[in-house]
Amino acid sequence: SYELTQPPSVSVSPGQTARITCSGDALPKKYAYWYQQKSGQAPVLVIYEDSKRPSGIPERFSGSSSGTMATLTISGAQVEDEADYYCYSTDSSGNHRVFGGGTDLTVL
Amino acid sequence: QVQLQQWGAGLLKPSETLSLTCAVYSGSFSSFCWGWIRQPPGKGLEWIGEVNHGGSTNYNPSLKSRVTISVDTSRNQFSLKLTSVTAADTAVYYCARVSVAATFYMDVWGLGTTVTVSS
């Protein structure tokens, strides 16, 4: 079965840039999406189609994708950005949806 | 702004059938697909499956033999049934709106329902 691989944790100081990666064999042909999940809450979409930002998401959140790796970048991370972040995409057939294992972002 | 409200039994015994329903308020129902995702305690998200307004479905292969997702367009609702549950099915279950684009993706989520399987 298809898998997306993320680092389990990333830690930055407030104001620094946080980068969370997601690797998958189908990413050269399939879009990556990113979800933020704060403790006890439902996930929220923060990036879609590799690099687009939904309305209401702060500009410090950006996304990119190159080859088999997609990256979520939080420029000037704030304490309120502490959360689990999940990448999401589909396998090469487009039929099966997959989440990465999630990355715990610590900002302190 | 679209809202999803979900409900269903929160405590099940092994071998029983999990049944959850999600109602869609303030938005187009037919222009989207509708899906379910779950999250075991302390673990990551797992896609369960989705249905379109016509009733066509797509399921996670690992759950396909036990899952049924259906839609009731007259009530703007969709439902999840998971048969023969075990402790491994204990999770928070989320319903979600699925945008139909180059990739199908979840853009609006319900608040989640905690389901515990225990004898």
Side-chain angles (χ1 to χ4, degrees):
Chain A
S1 61
Y2 185 54
E3 293 184 354
L4 296 172
T5 302
Q6 299 180 233
S9 63
V10 168
S11 182
V12 298
S13 299
Q16 288 188 329
T17 295
R19 293 182 178 84
I20 300 172
T21 59
C22 173
S23 64
D25 289 342
L27 289 179
K29 296 184 178 180
K30 299 299 182 183
Y31 285 124
Y33 300 74
W34 291 93
Y35 294 90
Q36 176 194 68
Q37 186 181 33
K38 295 184 177 179
S39 181
Q41 298 182 19
V44 172
L45 181 70
V46 294
I47 294 290
Y48 67 103
E49 293 181 357
D50 288 346
S51 59
K52 298 177 182 178
R53 198 172 50 249
S55 61
I57 300 301
E59 291 185 5
R60 63 181 180 272
F61 288 86
S62 64
S64 63
S65 187
S66 178
T68 60
M69 184 169 290
T71 302
L72 172 69
T73 300
I74 308 173
S75 303
Q78 301 182 8
V79 173
E80 68 225 44
D81 298 330
E82 280 203 342
D84 292 323
Y85 290 84
Y86 294 90
C87 64
Y88 163 88
S89 187
T90 68
D91 65 0
S92 56
S93 73
N95 291 329
H96 299 135
R97 330 292 182 213
V98 178
F99 289 95
T103 298
D104 180 2
L105 175 66
T106 300
V107 183
L108 56 78
Chain B
Q1 185 75 314
V2 63
Q3 292 187 344
L4 305 181
Q5 183 176 348
Q6 57 183 107
W7 66 89
L11 180 61
L12 297 172
K13 291 181 168 52
S15 80
E16 292 184 334
T17 295
L18 179 156
S19 182
L20 299 175
T21 299
C22 186
V24 180
Y25 298 100
S26 303
S28 171
F29 191 77
S30 61
S31 300
F32 297 91
C33 290
W34 305 93
W36 293 93
I37 303 94
R38 71 180 182 178
Q39 185 171 35
K43 296 187 178 181
L45 301 168
E46 180 181 30
W47 173 72
I48 299 172
E50 67 204 15
V51 64
N52 67 15
H53 69 279
S56 296
T57 54
N58 183 22
Y59 299 134
N60 186 324
S62 69
L63 298 170
K64 187 173 183 177
S65 63
R66 298 193 292 131
V67 170
T68 301
I69 298 177
S70 59
V71 64
D72 183 345
T73 55
S74 66
R75 298 184 178 185
N76 282 9
Q77 295 178 1
F78 59 106
S79 299
L80 168 70
K81 290 190 186 301
L82 181 66
T83 61
S84 303
V85 298
T86 69
D89 296 310
T90 293
V92 176
Y93 286 75
Y94 295 100
C95 63
R97 188 177 76 173
V98 180
S99 275
V100 179
T103 303
F104 287 26
Y105 67 99
M106 291 67 72
D107 63 350
V108 180
W109 295 59
L111 295 180
T113 298
T114 299
V115 176
T116 302
V117 180
S118 174
S119 55

